[in-house]
Amino acid sequence: MIKVNIDDKEIEVEEGCNVLQACEIAGVEIPRFCYHDRLSIAGNCRMCLVEVSPGPPKPQASCALPVAEGQIIKTNSEMVQNARKGVMEFLLVNHPLDCPICDQGGECDLQDQSMAFGSSESRFLENKRSVDEKNMGPLIKTHMTRCIHCTRCVRFSSEVAGVDELGALGRGETMEISSYLEKTLSSELSGCIIDLCPVGALTSKPYAFNSRPWELTNTESIDVLDGLGSNIRIDSRGNEVLRVLPRINEEINEEWISDKTRFAIDGLNKQRLDKPFLKNDFGKFEEISWDMALNVIKNKFKNIKPSDLAALSGDLVDVESLYSLKMLFDKIGCNNIDCRIDNSTLGEGGRSGYIFNSSIAGIEDSDSLLIIGSNPRIEAAVLNARIRKRYLMNKYPIGLLGEKVDLTYDYSYLGDSYKDLDNLISSKNNFYKILKKSKKPMIIIGSGAVNNENSQSFIYKLREFAEEVGVVNSNWNGFNFLNTSASRVGALDVGFIPKNNGLNARQVFEASEKGNLSLVWLLGVDTEDVKRLKNSFVIYQGHHGDLGAHSADLILPGAAYTEKSSIYVNIEGRPQISNKAIFPPGEAREDWKIIRAVSEAVNFKLPFDNLLDLRNHIFNEFDYLSKIDQLSKTKWSKFGKKGITKNFVFQNVIPSFYMTCPISRSSETMAECMNAQKNNFKSY
């Protein structure tokens, strides 16, 4: 520890801190524009000047100055005040001062700091410079005349996102931030530069001029468009979601969110199901009342054998709804339920056999990594940024078994099939030795490795391999499954899988094609396979008119994640609550309420009447789900089944980052991103 004196107050700080960080520890606010805790130090703006002795008789940039024993630091002396006013005066020389029409107004660091540390007038009378706008794609709106050359956006793109597509041209006053010629931004995290920009040079193009910050209602919530469970803030006005921003959570998403999380929200207003619909004899949907819908279900359930029923759940379903539907089918005596629409067999063992055991933050503790059947850049962009962060720290060997793709960091390509994995295990090649020598090796298994008929024997072989090389030991568990679905872990937790010879998802589709199932209940299922259910009466419960609704006979309109208070369990097995920001449209209802009403109509009444009672039932049965925002200790168990594994190729399950669910497929913004991707992100 190092002792320093800050404004006549002596404190101790860790060696390696800079003066700015030391001042923050002491509770002293230091203005800054270019400095950011998660980026390299640039020292561009000079706003963070302080007086330090011993040292030169002039203010110094606190962000670039390491602390030293016995330093005396003054943050508010006359010299410092005059220096900061001078810097602010320079920063505003070319600034357009268009605060009333700037989208950043009210949330602008330059605006705030000019009021706190600036002067009321300027001595400069020269004409202001003007900078041409840049085409950065459908997501980022530019007003580069406002740019103060802090270079946060450049450093983020290079260091965190790992895509070098922004840079600086020119020097001094003529310097301009620009993307590469004829290219727009292609990173899955590009929207984060909007948050990082301390002025209004980079703003959200879809959100531009929609509202002012003080008009919005802020709701803390959870993202459900991938399995990560990124912490977000939903900003709404009236009954419309206008934007989504990240919340800081060091254990999950730090302060980043993906572009899909941020910009797909316009899909919440498109193709919504707001009334019950019934398909008539001519194959056309007719609007009906809730009473009529419940009566249709009642009549369908009469004289139907439990074995003739089935229920499948999709990717965006909350724990409460999954538990309610499972309880209803348990009361009916039907075991044909499944959440694994991708045909995986995860969940047929302990909890350690389907979660991210090391935790997301645990990536930074690992010292080697093997990725199997996954493209984390597409499947979980923020998690991939965490892997890149670990890669940049120091030597971090990474091996990939699967499709050869750009992950934004270097890796050893080991092949694309089970045969290549078997060869790695049996030959004990170089990467085997790397894993074996590592103290905390890690394996990440994607859905592309377990969505086939070989998955149980494959997982068994992989588990044995992990134990052999030390991926799992007394002090460490680096055996991780990367589930792409927000609902998958929660569904497996509450047991939404077939038991006692019940049909799994693949068998349900096959049985329906053969005419052996009378009724199939789709809870938010929107995959191509639903077209195979033509020989069954299909009830679709969900919030968008997507693939599931098109194949349905009866549609029950549900609520999206922004319209209900619900529990979601992320890939780590961490329960989190998404809070209600707006109300569902029209006659749409929260999914658990629909299931509760159906249970009463079919004479299998569920034992709860409100959300609190429902959650108490869940927590009594599954205690670890009551530990909101916490990770429960998971015991390592034996999972998988010993058997012969046929050779198969690992294929990534997500063809496009921008369209993976009904919300993103309904989004015009995501459609624009898709078009940009098809045109290779050309700027013209």
Side-chain angles (χ1 to χ4, degrees):
M1 301 296 283
I2 294 175
K3 288 184 179 181
V4 293
N5 186 297
I6 301 174
D7 293 340
D8 301 322
K9 179 182 176 182
E10 192 172 273
I11 66 164
E12 287 189 346
V13 297
E14 291 184 8
E15 189 175 355
C17 280
N18 58 44
V19 171
L20 189 151
Q21 291 170 325
C23 292
E24 294 283 315
I25 294 169
V28 179
E29 181 184 1
I30 303 294
R32 85 291 300 267
F33 292 113
C34 68
Y35 177 80
H36 193 278
D37 287 335
R38 303 186 199 274
L39 302 176
S40 61
I41 293 170
N44 293 336
C45 70
R46 319 308 286 183
M47 195 64 200
C48 65
L49 294 172
V50 295
E51 188 179 348
V52 181
S53 59
K58 62 179 182 180
Q60 299 184 72
S62 58
C63 67
L65 183 66
V67 292
E69 186 71 36
Q71 275 179 337
I72 299 173
I73 302 163
K74 294 180 180 179
T75 67
N76 203 31
S77 65
E78 186 177 355
M79 179 195 294
V80 171
Q81 289 181 14
N82 290 335
R84 288 176 181 171
K85 285 180 180 179
V87 170
M88 182 60 69
E89 193 173 0
F90 274 119
L91 291 175
L92 296 177
V93 165
N94 288 306
H95 201 79
L97 303 179
D98 56 350
C99 300
I101 61 166
C102 177
D103 255 12
Q104 199 83 356
E107 299 175 319
C108 177
D109 291 347
L110 182 65
Q111 193 178 61
D112 295 340
Q113 293 185 37
S114 67
M115 294 296 293
F117 303 102
S119 177
S120 60
E121 59 185 25
S122 175
R123 293 167 289 179
F124 291 87
L125 302 175
E126 291 81 359
N127 293 329
K128 294 178 180 287
R129 76 164 179 196
S130 178
V131 183
D132 291 338
E133 305 311 333
K134 308 294 188 290
N135 181 9
M136 293 190 180
L139 305 179
I140 311 297
K141 179 180 171 61
T142 66
H143 200 309
M144 302 312 292
T145 303
R146 298 171 184 157
C147 180
I148 61 170
H149 306 154
C150 71
T151 69
R152 281 186 179 183
C153 55
V154 177
R155 285 174 285 149
F156 173 85
S157 299
S158 175
E159 297 166 14
V160 179
V163 184
D164 290 315
E165 51 192 3
L166 285 175
L169 303 172
R171 296 183 64 187
E173 174 177 79
T174 62
M175 176 177 162
E176 294 184 25
I177 302 296
S178 177
S179 57
Y180 286 130
L181 295 176
E182 301 181 349
K183 287 283 188 178
T184 61
L185 302 188
S186 63
S187 168
E188 296 77 19
L189 301 171
S190 65
C192 293
I193 65 176
I194 298 169
D195 303 327
L196 289 171
C197 183
V199 297
L202 304 173
T203 58
S204 170
K205 190 175 285 187
Y207 173 71
F209 307 118
N210 277 344
S211 75
R212 308 304 299 224
W214 50 85
E215 299 174 345
L216 302 173
T217 300
N218 311 136
T219 306
E220 294 187 351
S221 192
I222 303 299
D223 172 51
V224 301
L225 301 190
D226 59 29
L228 203 63
S230 297
N231 286 213
I232 59 173
R233 192 187 86 192
I234 299 170
D235 288 354
S236 59
R237 183 178 62 191
N239 208 43
E240 184 180 6
V241 175
L242 292 181
R243 67 176 181 178
V244 165
L245 298 176
R247 287 190 293 127
I248 295 177
N249 188 317
E250 298 293 347
E251 295 182 323
I252 302 175
N253 58 302
E254 297 184 292
E255 59 185 88
W256 319 124
I257 55 173
S258 74
D259 287 350
K260 185 167 54 180
T261 301
R262 187 187 299 269
F263 295 111
I265 54 168
D266 63 316
L268 291 167
N269 301 321
K270 308 286 192 311
Q271 302 183 46
R272 287 303 303 271
L273 301 174
D274 57 357
K275 293 180 177 67
F277 289 91
L278 179 66
K279 189 175 287 184
N280 62 24
D281 295 337
F282 303 100
K284 302 291 185 181
F285 283 111
E286 292 182 349
E287 180 186 324
I288 60 173
S289 67
W290 272 109
D291 287 340
M292 188 178 294
L294 293 174
N295 196 51
V296 169
I297 297 173
K298 181 180 179 180
N299 291 332
K300 286 292 178 181
F301 272 71
K302 280 182 180 178
N303 304 319
I304 194 170
K305 295 187 296 184
S307 57
D308 290 339
L309 300 171
L312 303 175
S313 71
D315 293 345
L316 307 181
V317 187
D318 55 274
V319 169
E320 291 91 342
S321 304
L322 289 161
Y323 182 84
S324 300
L325 190 57
K326 177 183 177 293
M327 183 180 280
L328 174 59
F329 270 63
D330 283 346
K331 280 181 170 289
I332 294 171
C334 177
N335 296 316
N336 304 330
I337 62 172
D338 204 357
C339 63
R340 303 162 301 181
I341 309 300
D342 57 358
N343 295 320
S344 80
T345 54
L346 296 182
E348 298 179 7
R351 201 170 189 237
S352 59
Y354 58 84
I355 66 171
F356 207 90
N357 287 285
S358 71
S359 79
I360 296 166
I363 292 171
E364 296 182 31
D365 297 325
S366 66
D367 49 8
S368 61
L369 170 63
L370 175 62
I371 301 171
I372 304 174
S374 176
N375 179 356
R377 179 175 174 181
I378 302 300
E379 296 170 17
V382 176
L383 182 138
N384 194 63
R386 183 86 71 157
I387 297 174
R388 176 173 169 80
K389 179 182 178 182
R390 173 62 186 89
Y391 168 79
L392 294 175
M393 286 181 184
N394 49 46
K395 188 178 179 182
Y396 188 55
I398 301 173
L400 174 65
L401 276 162
E403 292 185 32
K404 200 170 186 178
V405 292
D406 180 9
L407 294 178
T408 72
Y409 41 80
D410 295 331
Y411 58 81
S412 301
Y413 186 63
L414 306 173
D416 65 353
S417 68
Y418 173 75
K419 185 178 179 181
D420 295 308
L421 173 65
D422 199 41
N423 183 56
L424 181 148
I425 297 172
S426 58
S427 68
K428 296 181 173 44
N429 63 13
N430 186 52
F431 203 84
Y432 176 97
K433 294 174 182 176
I434 289 172
L435 293 171
K436 187 73 173 176
K437 289 179 181 178
S438 301
K439 293 181 179 179
K440 292 183 177 181
M442 178 181 289
I443 296 176
I444 294 178
I445 306 148
S447 299
V450 294
N451 61 348
N452 57 78
E453 60 184 12
N454 296 300
S455 59
Q456 279 293 296
S457 57
F458 168 71
I459 292 170
Y460 179 89
K461 183 86 176 244
L462 203 54
R463 176 177 59 78
E464 285 197 324
F465 168 63
E467 293 170 347
E468 179 184 333
V469 297
V471 170
V472 180
N473 55 55
S474 57
N475 302 313
W476 172 251
N477 188 341
F479 195 82
N480 299 319
F481 289 93
L482 179 53
N483 291 293
T484 58
S485 161
S487 64
R488 179 63 53 85
V489 173
L492 294 175
D493 278 346
V494 300
F496 204 93
I497 55 176
K499 294 180 180 178
N500 300 325
N501 298 317
L503 303 180
N504 61 29
R506 177 178 55 81
Q507 293 166 333
V508 166
F509 291 121
E510 291 173 353
S512 180
E513 284 181 316
K514 295 175 182 177
N516 295 334
L517 283 177
S518 300
L519 186 147
V520 179
W521 192 316
L522 301 179
L523 182 57
V525 179
D526 291 283
T527 62
E528 288 287 341
D529 280 331
V530 297
K531 297 175 182 178
R532 301 166 61 187
L533 302 173
K534 293 179 180 179
N535 295 328
S536 305
F537 185 87
V538 177
I539 299 173
Y540 176 78
Q541 182 179 343
H543 41 76
H544 275 76
D546 205 72
L547 295 171
H550 293 168
S551 302
D553 296 289
L554 176 65
I555 294 174
L556 307 177
Y561 75 103
T562 56
E563 300 156 3
K564 56 188 176 183
S565 175
S566 304
I567 297 172
Y568 289 91
V569 186
N570 78 342
I571 58 174
E572 308 167 290
R574 186 194 305 267
Q576 300 183 103
I577 290 182
S578 71
N579 291 310
K580 186 175 184 176
I582 58 175
F583 292 95
E587 296 180 28
R589 299 290 183 266
E590 294 178 36
D591 291 298
W592 75 264
K593 290 182 179 180
I594 297 172
I595 297 166
R596 169 64 178 77
V598 170
S599 74
E600 192 165 357
V602 298
N603 296 319
F604 289 100
K605 186 178 177 181
L606 296 178
F608 48 80
D609 297 315
N610 54 60
L611 186 59
L612 182 61
D613 286 347
L614 170 55
R615 285 181 177 170
N616 284 335
H617 275 85
I618 296 171
F619 297 159
N620 288 335
E621 191 169 349
F622 307 100
D623 176 64
Y624 49 84
L625 294 179
S626 67
K627 299 172 182 177
I628 305 299
D629 296 325
Q630 299 178 43
L631 285 178
S632 299
K633 198 168 183 180
T634 303
K635 187 179 178 182
W636 181 248
S637 59
K638 303 294 183 181
F639 47 84
K641 294 178 182 177
K642 190 173 183 179
I644 298 172
T645 304
K646 298 177 184 176
N647 188 41
F648 61 94
V649 177
F650 303 124
Q651 294 182 326
N652 297 333
V653 295
I654 298 178
S656 172
F657 167 76
Y658 298 107
M659 290 192 177
T660 56
C661 66
I663 297 174
S664 56
R665 285 194 289 269
S666 302
S667 167
E668 291 180 359
T669 305
M670 294 295 99
E672 289 179 24
C673 291
M674 278 287 291
N675 289 331
Q677 188 179 52
K678 288 178 183 177
N679 293 325
N680 198 28
F681 297 99
K682 293 179 180 178
S683 62
Y684 56 85

